[in-house]
């Protein structure tokens, strides 16, 4: 069990009190009839039980979020107005402050800006796990000034990720993919220590393949990480693809797709060719490993899944994760997008809302915003 966090239940009656809740309502929006509207209100709906509970106990709820990247300036297109409209339909009475990032003080972690957020506020709740890896003012300063607590969704993320790190049911299989090996090497290093098998796919797998002495054509490659990948392979717990779906180096790929049909290449990828998805033999082998797992952690696609020609590897892995009776935790970002693409998001145990935050938590075991909550004024 996660310890060290206060919860809002500890505050008792909130009659006449004002509670500031830091949320992540960074929702997708699109223009509908000439005005921006929220197109996916999942993040808003996830906060409603907390808002309603606080209101039922007599509190006035003030919510605060970042939205897009206005970089410290007031930019009309990043106004929270569409989010406010949707929130008002779902939970009347909750006030939503204007975009925190309209002030340069937010990202600069300015104490004066942080203090301004809690003027007239009695309590603070951090319900934004996905923003807690950033030492920004709205995350860091309120816990030093008013009694502060962890929100239920934040606590659920921390509990789930922590139990995977400290006490996973075994075998524990981790799957790491995505483009850049440098972004994910830290997490692979941690997982090699904790998991029984770490499957590596996506663009990052080719630096591992090169470390095995295989040729990789013009696939993604990071020479600075070659040695480290070699050391990780020596543990015997890292599984990399044996075959790849490839296109000629000059071929275009992506969501708009192209005409060329990808070719399967086993072992060595020749010059003039790039690997863009795991091949069918690798997909099959990975699915078998996943089917034997008791715990699965997945972060990052196996290939350029936005391109339908280069989607099969990610789809096979996603279906294997969904079909597995294992505790399955999906680490945010592109893996969640992939799950949604195949309508499998309800088939897994836990979908983390924080892409960067969940990776950082798994790598370092803590986040700046969580530390601030534990070390703050609590109840
Ligand atoms: P990341 O943000 O690091 O999780 O990477 C996700 C992106 O990696 C997706 O947009 C994929 O299209 C891309 N990706 C996955 N595999 C490859 C590959 N073999 N070559 C190039 N890009 C890839």
């Amino acid at each position: 069990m996660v310890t060290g966090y206060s919860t809002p239940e500890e505050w008792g009656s909130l009659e006449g009190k004002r509670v500031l809740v830091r949320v992540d309502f960074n929702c997708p929006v699109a223009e509908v009839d000439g005005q921006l509207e929220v197109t996916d209100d999942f993040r808003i709906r996830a906060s409603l039980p907390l808002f309603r509970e606080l209101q039922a106990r007599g509190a006035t709820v003030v919510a605060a979020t970042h939205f897009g990247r206005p970089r410290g300036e007031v930019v009309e297109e990043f106004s929270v107005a569409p989010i406010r409209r949707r929130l008002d339909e779902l939970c009347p009475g909750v006030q939503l402050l204007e975009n925190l990032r309209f002030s340069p003080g937010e990202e600069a972690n300015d104490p004066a800006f942080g203090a301004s957020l809690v003027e007239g506020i009695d309590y603070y709740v951090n319900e934004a796990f996905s923003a807690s890896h950033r030492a920004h003012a709205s995350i860091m300063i309120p816990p030093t000034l008013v009694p502060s607590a962890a929100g239920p969704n934040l606590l659920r993320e921390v509990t789930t990720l922590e139990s995977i790190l400290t006490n996973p049911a075994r075998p524990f299989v981790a799957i790491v993919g995505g483009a850049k090996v440098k972004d994910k090497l830290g997490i692979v290093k941690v997982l090699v220590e904790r998991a029984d098998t770490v499957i590596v796919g996506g663009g990052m797998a080719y630096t591992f393949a090169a470390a095995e002495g295989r040729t990789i054509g013009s696939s993604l490659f990071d020479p600075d990480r070659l040695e480290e990948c070699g050391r990780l392979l020596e543990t015997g717990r890292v599984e990399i693809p044996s075959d790849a779906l490839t296109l000629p180096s000059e071929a275009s790929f992506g969501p708009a797709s192209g005409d060329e049909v990808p070719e399967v290449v086993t072992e060595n990828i020749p010059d003039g060719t790039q690997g863009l998805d795991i091949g069918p033999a690798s997909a099959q082998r990975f699915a078998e490993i996943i089917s034997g797992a008791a715990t699965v952690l997945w972060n990052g696609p196996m290939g350029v899944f936005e391109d339908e020609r280069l989607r099969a590897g990610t789809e096979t892995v996603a279906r294997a994760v969904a079909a597995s009776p294992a505790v399955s935790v999906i680490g945010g970002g592109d893996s969640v997008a992939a799950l949604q693409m195949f309508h499998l998001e309800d088939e897994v145990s836990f979908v983390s809302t924080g892409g960067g935050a969940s990776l950082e938590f798994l790598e370092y075991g803590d986040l700046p915003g969580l530390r601030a909550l534990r070390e703050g004024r609590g109840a």
Side-chain angles (χ1 to χ4, degrees):
M1 183 55 208
V2 179
T3 52
Y5 297 94
S6 298
T7 62
E9 287 82 62
E10 294 165 26
W11 297 331
S13 166
L14 294 171
E15 212 54 58
K17 304 293 187 191
R18 290 171 65 80
V19 182
L20 176 68
V21 185
R22 174 55 158 103
V23 287
D24 179 353
F25 285 173
N26 198 8
C27 303
V29 295
E31 206 170 297
V32 180
D33 298 332
Q35 119 170 327
L36 285 176
E37 297 288 353
V38 171
T39 52
D40 181 353
D41 61 7
F42 171 78
R43 286 165 181 258
I44 304 175
R45 281 184 288 109
S47 300
L48 299 181
L50 171 65
F51 291 166
R52 290 184 180 137
E53 203 242 348
L54 294 171
Q55 286 178 329
R57 284 161 57 195
T60 298
V61 177
V62 182
T65 186
H66 64 283
F67 178 46
R69 294 178 187 261
R71 299 183 190 283
E73 286 171 32
V74 177
V75 183
E76 186 56 30
E77 93 185 83
F78 295 119
S79 163
V80 300
I83 303 169
R84 205 178 262 152
R85 277 196 298 278
R86 185 73 189 119
L87 174 61
D88 203 45
E89 286 164 9
L90 293 168
C91 195
V94 175
Q95 299 166 23
L96 180 63
L97 301 182
E98 191 41 282
N99 192 345
L100 291 162
R101 291 188 185 162
F102 278 2
S103 163
E106 168 63 355
E107 292 184 64
N109 194 15
D110 173 18
F113 177 67
S116 74
L117 295 173
V118 291
E119 263 165 42
I121 291 288
D122 300 286
Y123 296 100
Y124 168 83
V125 182
N126 183 346
E127 185 61 319
F129 176 83
S130 50
S132 294
H133 59 314
R134 303 215 163 93
H136 291 173
S138 64
I139 297 285
M140 304 302 286
I141 308 296
T144 67
L145 300 173
V146 294
S148 295
N153 291 324
L154 175 139
L155 216 48
R156 205 168 300 127
E157 297 252 6
V158 172
T159 311
T160 305
L161 295 178
E162 207 162 77
S163 70
I164 274 227
L165 283 179
T166 56
N167 192 23
R170 294 190 181 274
F172 172 16
V173 175
I175 310 145
V176 185
K180 293 192 188 131
V181 72
K182 82 169 165 38
D183 295 345
K184 305 267 172 89
L185 212 52
I187 187 78
V188 174
K189 276 200 262 179
V190 168
L191 291 171
V192 154
E193 298 296 320
R194 315 234 174 190
D196 298 284
T197 306
V198 182
I199 292 172
V200 174
M204 61 183 286
Y206 299 103
T207 304
F208 282 85
E212 265 191 350
R214 287 154 57 184
T215 63
I216 57 167
S218 62
S219 310
L220 287 176
F221 176 58
D222 186 342
D224 298 337
R225 306 296 190 294
L226 195 61
E227 251 176 63
E228 213 156 358
C229 290
R231 278 197 296 274
L232 287 164
L233 287 169
E234 280 169 16
T235 64
R237 290 193 294 278
V238 177
E239 288 282 335
I240 65 169
S242 56
D243 58 349
L245 272 189
T246 65
L247 283 176
S249 299
E250 66 285 357
S252 59
F253 59 87
S257 298
D259 303 329
E260 293 94 335
V261 178
E263 274 183 35
V264 177
V265 172
T266 303
E267 290 292 329
N268 290 311
I269 298 176
D271 279 352
T273 305
Q274 54 185 333
L276 295 167
D277 190 10
I278 58 173
S282 305
Q284 201 48 46
R285 190 162 53 91
F286 291 176
E288 273 163 31
I289 296 171
I290 292 164
S291 72
T295 303
V296 174
L297 172 71
W298 178 28
N299 187 297
M302 297 290 101
V304 184
F305 73 105
E306 300 90 337
D307 183 324
E308 59 181 5
R309 299 168 300 166
L310 305 164
R311 186 172 295 166
T314 302
E315 178 164 3
T316 301
V317 162
R319 293 199 182 283
V321 172
S324 153
V327 174
S328 47
V329 176
I330 314 305
D334 279 311
S335 335
V336 180
L339 270 187
Q340 287 169 338
M341 183 179 267
F342 311 125
H343 308 291
L344 296 172
E345 64 271 31
D346 296 332
E347 311 289 321
V348 298
S349 314
F350 189 80
V351 175
S352 174
T353 59
S358 49
L359 273 183
E360 263 187 50
F361 184 85
L362 290 167
E363 190 168 345
Y364 303 110
D366 205 358
L367 298 177
L370 301 178
R371 207 171 300 127
L373 264 190
R374 294 195 309 273
E375 293 170 1
R377 291 191 47 199

